[in-house]
Every structure is written in C-alpha cells, then in structure tokens.
C-alpha cells in the first residue's frame, strides 16, 4: 500500500495535490478525506494519480499528512469517470464538478441528531416588519436558523430574536432514520397494448444490466410515467437504484403523489428546497445503497449512487436541464454518459423530443419507443388559431373576443381553463408618458418588470428590486407612469374584470416556489377551487387535471423573438406541452392560440398537429446553419470595467486559431450587454462535429493572459444566447 495519495481538493484554483497517508490509515481511490492546506482544512477525494496529473509534485519528505478519512463509502469508479468526463467536455475545473457530488458536508460527519426550529403560533409582543415577514414566510417550515433566515429573507439575528421570545421553538430531529422501501407490486396498473409493449422493452433493458439510451416518445397524456414506472419496478426487484430527473422543483409534488400510488411510499427527494438535515439523510442513504429510488433536479445526477440500475430523464426536452451558472453542463447529456459509465439504461421521456435527441435516434445511437395515443378514453384536444390582426382584442385588453367567449362557455359547463403567457409580473416595461423615461435595471441591460402583487419593480436577470415609485424619477410627474405590455398578473386582472365570479389563480415561480406550494395548487385544482389558471411555463408540463378542458395561449409569438437558434423549436415544444394540459380526462379539450402570424411554419405545425413535418423542416434549416450537426461553444468575456472586457474580448478574437472546419464569430457585445453589473462580450465558435473543439479552445485560451478583474467563461453546447 502506497504511503502517498493524490487528492483532488475542493478548490477549483488549485490542481490535485499529494499527501502522506499516515501509518495505520488506509485509503483507496474515491475515499473522501480531510487535508491541510496552509492553515485551513479542506475536503478532498483520493484519485488515481495516472488519471489526475499534478503540477505540484514534491518529494516524500515534503508531504503533509492526511488529517482524516470520512466514514462513508468511497466515490465509485463510474462516478469518478463521470466527473473527469464532465470537466473535460464542459471545460470546467474537476474540483467544481466534484463539489456537486459532495453536496452535503454534514453527511460526512457522525452526529445522528440535529436541532431545528419551527413556529409555535405565538405572536411576539414587539412585532417589527422583519419579524412579521419572517413568521409569514416561515409558516409551517422547519429548519436550521440559517435556512429559516434565507427562506424568510431576513438576518439570522431576526430568527434568533423570535426564538428568544418564544415565537419559534427548538426541535431535535433524528437525521439518519431509514427510508421506507418502495413495493414494486403495491399497485399493478392496467396498461394498454402500446404501453405494455413499451414497458416490456424497458423492463428487459433494466434486467440486462447494460447501457442503452432509449427515447420514450409519447404524446401528452399517453401514460409515459406509468410505462417507465414498470422499469423502475424491475430495478427495485433487482435491488438496484433508480434516479428520476425532473426539470422543475415544482413538478416533484405531483410526481411524488403518482409514485406513492404505484409503489406505496414516496421516493427519496433531492432538490434545492431541502433542509440541511434532509440533504444529509438523503446523501447517506444514496451512498449506502439504501435509497432505492431518488427523484430530483439536475444536481441529483452527481450524487454517489452505490449501484445505479436505471436513469430516467422526464420531460427530457426541457431547457432548464441546462445549468447556466458554474459548470455549464446539460443534465440530459450527462445522464446519458452516467448511464454509460454505470452500465445501465437511460430513458429520455418526452412528448416533444429535442432535435438533437431525434438525430441520435436517426443515426441509430438511441432506441426509440413510441406511445402514439392518449391513454383510455382521453383524446388529443382540438387546436384553433386566433389571428390577432383579424380578430384583435378590445382596446386596453389582451384576450380576443373568441377566447373570452370560450372561457365563459367553459365556466358555464363548470370546467376549468388555463391561460398561458410565459412572462412573469404585471408588465415587462414601465415608462413615463410625459418625458418617456423607461425603468431600466442599474446592473443589467434589461427593463425592470412591474410586479403589482408585491408592489415592486424587479429585474428577472440579477434579482435587483425597488419599490414601484409614485412619481417619475426624471420629470417628477405624478400619475404619469404607464405599464406597457402584459404579464400574467395583468392577464389575471383582465380575467377578474371579465369574470368577477370566477376563482382565478396565478401560477409562476413567484407564487409556486416550493413543493409545498405546488401541492397546495394541485389540491385546489383537484377540489375544483380554481376556475381559471393564469400561468407561465411552470404549468406547461407534468400536471394532470381531468376537469381542465380549455387552454388559451395569450401570445404565441413571444418565444420567437430574440435571435435564439432554437426559438421555433422551443416555441413548438412549449405550446404543444401547454396544449397537452387540455382534455386529459373523459371531457374533450380545446386550445386557442393567439398569434399575429398564423401562417408561420411553427403555428401551422401546432394547428395541424403535424409534428414530424415541423421537425423535418426545422432539421433541414438547422443543417443549413450547421446545428445540431456541428459543435457550438460560446466564449463570454465579462468585467465591471468595460474597457478591460472590450480589450480582452478583442485579444481572444485576435488570437483565434485557424483550424479547418472551425469558425469563430465575434467578439460582439452580448444581447444582455450588462448583467449583474458586469459588461459582457461574446464570441461564438462553430466547428464540425468530428473536431475536438474542447482541445482547440483549451490550447487557445491557455496561451493568453488577461487582468484578474476579467472573467472568461466557456459554454459548450450553449442554450442561452443572451
């Protein structure tokens, strides 16, 4: 046994370092260790030296000792290979990828109980605005002082003050209690012939214990979840673990309910809304193999599963699977690679698969299973366009008369309606009618969005918030501020004015910020306590409401703006998904699409339901542009100093290598030329698929030096072109 260990530490600025293994201590590749670095102690993982070269090798006599080895299973070889691949493909420091695997530091410690706090119902005698806000937002939450302070958007001191006056009480929680075991035979559903055929193929794939990427392509309401649950049941019978990835935290609640109905208990959840004690318990159960089924957001992909037998990516077309901060990975693609390293099947489930995924099917790399029809008596909804030029809404309104009549008819039948507009807030722009002043974010090249429910202006890019002013800051005019364009809150106001008796709910990430809020919304819908839902893309997927029979798309053209390569595809996916919410039970569904360009190819495809023709035309257009049949990488240069950012961007552009099959466009100011106070310039690299563009970019940027206040980030396979 070597007395020397190569350790990848959680510091992205430093490469791997070597340490001495003290006598009597044993480590192996994957062991999680605590090491000294200067006066500090850091977490790290022992790695194979040949796979993780170090620039800082020193003689044995200069090595410092490992301080401790965590009493948890080592990270397995498949996960270590995934970390290496992700770092290499997305040009990220391996330490940054490793950090996602060690996402609960408390899981590495031995304590088995923790002290959390919850509200007692007692109102303190001195109720300051901060205390009132804290108690309102905490509601029935429970957590550490820091977690409650973050949830309530107040300081730790406010929470401690509430503890002192008895408004919050301490609760000791057991944090390593075992999870219930799902029962694969709890409730055996009756499947249609098509569903059973697909389920049998998926079950055989799980039993084979081999890598196989499978596209489960089924129209909305075709029962994809029930079908892949049979594959989950097979993995449970084999005693192996399953990971189900969902694109939104709000979707976990309806999923957990369906899972409970099928398997008799809930799966292990992993998402940003968990308390520290919940994260610890989940991480340890996943690492030990006790957690048989985990459902989570994209970060669940890097957890240390002991024996992974199946990965499911639900709503696999969703763009929210692409991480836009830190490591710019795409969870759908990394899931396929994890399946390859773990030798297990990967199911990509979607009603509107991405063109990239369809291309993998066409080349034979992925297997395709189709579910062509809705389950049972449910039928696909009828879809009608409303030409806003020929049938405009009344002055000052946003809903066309035909859509208003359809909503009234739906209310008369005691059925539910959904109005979709992918724009949060009340209005996307506020200006002064006297002097023309427009409210812009001080940190970003973006307009401030008015939110009337919270009486504030907000930037949806950096989070900057300010109270809605009464007077124009430029000309000091009173009552001169005008809201321009609609957001969901404005549509909700119009609905309330048109249908005062109807019960309306606004569903956005501002109102559904946790699984508990999602559960409350689902409960109200199922109880018939909501007549009309006005929502953003949050309501386009995963929900199943049998009494929802009408969907109105308020502005179908919205997603086509902005110069995004995938704009038409994204618009098609989003509207097709939201249309799929209508008529999922025995009652027929109807969809109205308000558009200024009903003849556009994407609108025609939605109206006729001819998805194949749309995808074929869109694929041909992409071939002409080289995507997705080439490789793209965005290089973004940013700094608080505009001149520095500009000069560095020009340096990067001037130094671009001449490589056959690769083109570099730019630099140019990014569409969001300023974001969070940083000036931004973009270059776009487009290369043939066969070219190892990562190696080219690594060598190109590796020779350059720029000021420390400049940040240069590379986004491989970009989804956001802002």
């Amino acid at each position: 046994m070597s007395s020397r260990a190569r350790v990848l530490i959680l510091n992205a600025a430093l490469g791997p370092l070597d340490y001495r293994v003290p006598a009597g201590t044993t480590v192996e590749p994957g062991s999680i260790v605590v090491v000294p670095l200067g006066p500090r102690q850091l977490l790290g993982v022992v790695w194979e030296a040949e796979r993780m070269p170090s620039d800082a090798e020193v003689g044995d006599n200069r090595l410092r000792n490992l301080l401790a080895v965590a009493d948890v299973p080592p990270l397995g070889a498949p996960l270590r290979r995934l970390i290496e691949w992700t770092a290499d493909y997305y040009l990220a420091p391996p330490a940054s990828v490793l950090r996602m695997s060690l996402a609960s530091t408390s899981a590495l410690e031995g304590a088995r109980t923790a002290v959390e706090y919850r509200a007692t119902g007692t109102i303190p005698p001195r109720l300051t605005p901060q205390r009132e806000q804290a108690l309102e937002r905490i509601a029935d939450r429970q957590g550490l002082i820091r977690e409650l302070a973050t949830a309530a958007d107040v300081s730790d001191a406010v929470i401690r003050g509430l503890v002192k006056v008895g408004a919050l009480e301490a609760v000791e929680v057991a944090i390593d209690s075992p999870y219930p075991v799902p029962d694969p035979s709890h409730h055996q559903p009756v499947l249609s012939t098509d569903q059973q055929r697909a389920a049998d193929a998926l079950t055989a794939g799980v039993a084979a214990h081999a890598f196989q990427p499978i596209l489960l392509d089924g129209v909305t309401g075709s029962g994809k979840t029930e079908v892949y649950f049979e594959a989950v049941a097979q993995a449970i019978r084999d005693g192996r673990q399953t990971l189900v990835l969902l694109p939104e935290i709000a979707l976990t609640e309806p999923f957990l309910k369906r899972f409970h109905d099928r398997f008799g208990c809930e799966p292990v959840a992993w998402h940003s809304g968990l308390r520290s004690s919940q994260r610890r318990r989940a991480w340890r159960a996943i690492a030990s193999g006790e957690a048989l089924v985990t459902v989570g957001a994209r970060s669940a992909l890097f957890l240390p599963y002991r024996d992974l037998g199946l990965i499911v990516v639900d709503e696999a077309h969703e763009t929210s699977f692409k991480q836009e901060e830190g490591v710019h990975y795409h969870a759908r693609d990394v899931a396929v690679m994890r399946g390859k390293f773990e030798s297990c099947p990967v199911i990509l489930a979607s009603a509107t698969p991405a063109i990239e995924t369809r291309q993998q099917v066409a080349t034979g790399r992925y297997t395709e299973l189709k579910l062509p029809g809705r389950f049972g008596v449910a039928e696909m909804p009828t879809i009608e366009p409303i030409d806003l030029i020929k049938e405009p809404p009344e002055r000052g309104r946003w809903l066309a008369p035909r859509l208003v009549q359809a909503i009234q008819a739906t209310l008369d039948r005691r059925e539910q309606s959904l109005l979709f507009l992918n724009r949060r807030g009340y209005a996307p722009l506020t200006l002064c009618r006297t002097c023309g002043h427009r409210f812009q974010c001080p940190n970003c090249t973006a307009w401030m969005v008015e939110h009337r429910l919270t009486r504030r202006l907000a930037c949806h890019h950096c989070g900057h918030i300010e109270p809605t002013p009464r007077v124009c800051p430029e000309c000091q005019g009173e009552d001169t501020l005008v809201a321009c364009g609609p957001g969901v809150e404005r549509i909700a106001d119009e609905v309330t004015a048109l249908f005062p008796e109807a019960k309306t709910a606004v569903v956005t990430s501002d109102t559904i910020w946790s699984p508990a809020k999602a559960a409350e919304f689902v409960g109200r819908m199922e109880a018939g306590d909501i007549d009309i839902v006005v929502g953003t893309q949050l309501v386009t997927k995963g929900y199943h409401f049998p009494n929802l029979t009408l969907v109105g798309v308020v502005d179908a053209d919205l997603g086509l703006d902005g110069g995004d390569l995938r704009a038409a595809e994204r618009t098609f996916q989003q509207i097709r998904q939201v249309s799929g919410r209508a008529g999922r039970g025995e009652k027929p569904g109807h969809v109205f699409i308000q558009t200024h360009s009903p003849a556009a190819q994407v609108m025609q495809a939605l109206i006729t339901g001819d998805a194949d023709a749309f995808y074929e035309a869109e694929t041909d257009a992409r071939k002409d542009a080289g995507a997705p049949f080439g490789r793209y990488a965005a290089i973004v240069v940013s700094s608080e100093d505009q001149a520095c950012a500009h000069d560095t961007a020009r340096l990067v552009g001037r130094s671009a290598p001449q490589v056959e099959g690769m083109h570099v466009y730019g630099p140019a100011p990014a569409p969001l030329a300023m974001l969070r106070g940083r000036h931004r310039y973009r270059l776009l690299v487009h290369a043939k698929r066969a070219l190892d563009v990562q190696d080219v970019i690594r060598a190109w940027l590796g020779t350059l030096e720029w000021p420390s206040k400049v940040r240069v980030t590379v986004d491989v396979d970009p989804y956001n072109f802002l």
Side-chain angles (χ1 to χ4, degrees):
M1 175 72 194
S2 170
S3 62
R4 189 181 181 110
R6 176 71 42 89
V7 178
L8 179 59
I9 57 173
L10 291 188
N11 184 329
L14 294 171
L17 299 174
D18 288 351
Y19 288 88
R20 182 184 294 113
V21 181
T25 302
T26 56
V27 295
E28 60 181 289
S31 292
I32 301 171
V33 294
V34 180
V35 298
L37 186 71
R40 294 179 298 151
Q41 296 184 0
L42 289 181
L43 271 179
V45 173
V46 176
W47 222 268
E48 299 95 328
E50 67 276 9
R51 301 194 71 96
M52 198 63 72
S54 174
D55 297 332
E57 288 204 41
V58 296
D60 286 1
N61 61 330
R62 293 179 56 200
L63 294 180
R64 299 178 71 180
N65 279 353
L66 295 176
L67 299 177
V69 183
D71 184 22
V72 291
L75 300 189
L79 178 53
R80 298 199 302 279
R81 301 298 80 86
L82 183 79
I83 289 167
E84 292 164 2
W85 180 86
T86 305
D88 180 67
Y89 187 85
Y90 292 104
L91 297 169
S96 298
V97 185
L98 174 62
R99 188 178 292 280
M100 294 189 283
S101 293
L102 304 183
S104 170
T105 49
S106 67
L108 310 177
E109 299 157 7
R112 298 185 63 81
T113 61
V115 176
E116 296 183 338
Y117 295 86
R118 66 184 178 199
T120 60
T122 303
I123 304 298
R126 199 170 67 82
L127 194 60
T128 63
Q130 279 99 338
R131 284 182 168 185
E132 188 175 7
Q133 177 178 316
L135 289 173
E136 183 188 330
R137 295 205 182 174
I138 288 169
D140 55 0
R141 278 175 189 260
Q142 183 173 309
L144 304 175
I145 281 178
R146 180 86 288 268
E147 290 168 342
L148 294 181
T150 304
D153 198 16
V154 296
S155 68
D156 290 13
V158 173
I159 303 297
R160 287 200 181 90
L162 288 169
V163 173
K164 200 175 274 185
V165 297
L168 296 177
E169 65 180 356
V171 187
E172 191 172 25
V173 289
I175 48 182
D176 282 343
S177 52
Y179 286 98
V181 178
D183 175 5
S185 306
H186 174 74
H187 171 71
Q188 202 71 44
V190 178
L191 301 180
S192 69
T193 308
D194 285 334
Q195 287 177 326
Q196 192 63 56
R197 191 181 301 121
D200 290 345
L202 296 179
T203 305
V206 172
H209 291 214
F211 170 58
Q212 185 188 13
I214 304 163
L215 169 61
L216 182 58
D217 181 357
V219 296
T220 52
S222 59
K224 292 183 292 295
T225 308
E226 285 71 23
V227 168
Y228 73 65
F229 272 176
E230 296 310 295
V232 175
Q234 180 63 43
I236 295 169
R237 287 188 188 100
D238 291 351
R240 304 184 77 202
Q241 293 171 292
T242 296
L243 164 63
V244 181
L245 289 179
L246 298 177
E248 301 271 1
I249 180 177
L251 287 181
T252 54
E253 206 56 38
F255 178 89
L256 295 180
K257 185 175 180 297
R258 292 171 80 174
F259 188 93
H260 188 283
D261 292 345
R262 171 66 180 83
F263 296 104
C265 68
E266 290 196 350
V268 175
W270 184 273
H271 51 72
S272 58
L274 295 183
R275 312 195 303 267
S276 173
S277 59
Q278 292 172 316
R279 291 173 85 80
R280 172 204 157 89
R281 181 184 174 210
W283 194 98
R284 288 179 75 90
I286 286 165
S288 70
E290 176 214 322
L292 284 179
V293 183
T294 303
V295 57
R298 57 179 177 245
S299 58
L301 190 52
F302 290 94
L303 295 175
Y305 303 94
R306 188 166 190 176
D307 184 14
L308 205 48
L310 173 65
I311 300 172
V312 180
V313 184
D314 206 349
E315 309 287 359
H317 61 279
E318 268 296 316
T319 53
S320 50
F321 279 127
K322 173 75 175 181
Q323 169 78 19
E324 297 291 357
E325 300 286 332
V327 181
H328 290 251
Y329 69 94
H330 197 303
R332 177 197 65 210
D333 300 340
V334 178
V336 171
M337 290 309 297
R338 179 138 203 192
K340 185 175 183 179
F341 292 128
E342 299 275 1
S343 297
C344 74
V346 181
I347 300 170
L348 307 180
S350 175
T352 52
I355 285 179
E356 291 89 340
T357 305
R358 287 171 168 268
Q359 189 62 18
Q360 296 284 26
V361 170
T363 56
R365 291 192 187 95
Y366 291 9
T367 304
E368 183 178 34
L369 296 173
K370 271 190 174 298
L371 295 173
R374 282 194 159 178
F375 181 68
V377 294
E379 292 183 4
M380 293 301 289
T382 56
I383 299 178
E384 284 184 46
I386 295 177
D387 186 338
L388 290 173
I389 294 169
K390 292 178 181 171
E391 300 180 63
E394 291 178 24
R395 186 174 172 78
R397 299 214 187 269
W398 308 96
L399 304 178
R402 189 148 46 109
L403 179 54
V404 173
Q405 289 163 12
I407 296 170
Q408 184 61 62
T410 306
L411 287 169
D412 293 343
R413 293 194 304 271
R414 297 178 183 271
E415 293 168 3
Q416 294 164 316
S417 304
L418 163 62
L419 296 176
F420 167 70
L421 176 65
N422 204 27
R423 192 186 267 150
R424 286 156 51 210
Y426 183 84
L429 170 64
T430 301
L431 55 78
C432 173
R433 69 162 72 89
T434 304
C435 70
H437 174 77
R438 297 178 173 204
F439 287 85
Q440 185 167 338
C441 174
N443 311 315
C444 308
T445 318
W447 307 122
M448 297 288 281
V449 178
E450 183 185 356
H451 287 251
R452 288 218 173 155
L453 294 177
T454 51
R455 295 192 294 281
R456 64 189 187 185
L457 298 173
C459 172
H460 289 173
H461 298 285
C462 73
H464 174 78
I465 291 168
E466 52 190 64
T468 307
R470 288 191 311 101
V471 299
C472 171
E474 193 116 339
C475 69
Q476 304 302 311
E478 285 198 41
D479 297 325
T480 61
L481 301 181
V482 184
C484 300
V488 284
E489 291 176 16
R490 194 169 199 173
I491 300 300
D493 276 5
E494 182 173 335
V495 166
T496 304
L498 288 166
F499 312 106
E501 302 298 311
K503 288 173 282 196
T504 305
V506 175
V507 177
T508 73
S509 55
D510 297 319
T511 60
I512 307 279
W513 65 78
S514 70
K517 282 284 178 189
E520 184 188 322
F521 163 62
V522 170
R524 288 185 63 202
M525 281 295 284
E526 289 177 345
D529 190 34
I530 298 172
D531 299 313
I532 302 170
V533 179
V534 184
T536 59
Q537 54 88 27
L538 204 63
V539 292
T540 63
K541 49 197 173 275
Y543 291 111
H544 176 83
F545 302 123
N547 202 38
L548 176 63
T549 58
L550 176 70
V551 167
V553 179
V554 176
D555 184 356
D557 311 321
L558 186 60
L560 294 171
D561 303 333
D564 182 347
L565 284 175
R566 296 181 178 84
E569 181 189 8
R570 200 175 292 181
T571 298
F572 178 80
Q573 288 169 336
Q574 219 164 49
I575 295 176
R576 180 120 166 163
Q577 289 283 342
V578 76
S579 301
R581 296 315 107 200
R584 292 174 73 97
E586 295 181 8
K587 300 170 183 175
H590 210 89
V591 180
F592 287 98
I593 298 176
Q594 295 193 160
T595 172
H596 288 92
S597 46
Q601 187 186 43
V602 61
M603 298 306 161
Q604 283 300 308
L606 287 161
I607 294 156
T608 61
D610 193 348
D612 290 341
F614 169 74
Y615 276 117
E616 199 175 311
E618 188 67 10
T619 303
D620 287 345
R622 295 260 195 104
K623 270 183 184 158
D624 294 341
F629 310 96
R631 281 255 163 82
Y632 277 97
I635 301 175
V636 179
V637 180
S638 69
S639 174
E640 291 179 5
D641 181 328
Q642 184 169 11
C644 259
H646 179 258
D647 292 348
T648 303
R650 292 193 62 187
L651 167 71
V652 173
R654 276 199 313 272
S655 314
Q658 298 295 315
V659 177
E660 190 182 344
M662 184 179 103
H663 299 282
V664 179
Y665 304 99
L672 263 177
M674 193 158 107
L675 180 65
R676 300 187 186 99
R678 299 180 71 86
H679 298 273
R680 304 165 75 243
Y681 290 84
R682 281 177 64 98
L683 297 95
L684 191 62
V685 180
H686 179 216
K688 285 181 178 169
R689 199 130 193 97
L691 182 70
D692 191 340
V693 76
Q694 286 90 343
D695 271 0
V696 174
I697 293 173
R698 212 178 272 115
W700 165 18
L701 297 182
T703 60
L704 304 180
E705 289 188 8
W706 50 78
S708 58
K709 57 185 171 183
V710 174
R711 193 184 299 151
V712 178
T713 56
V714 181
D715 183 1
V716 177
D717 303 338
Y719 264 63
N720 182 345
F721 287 82
L722 293 178

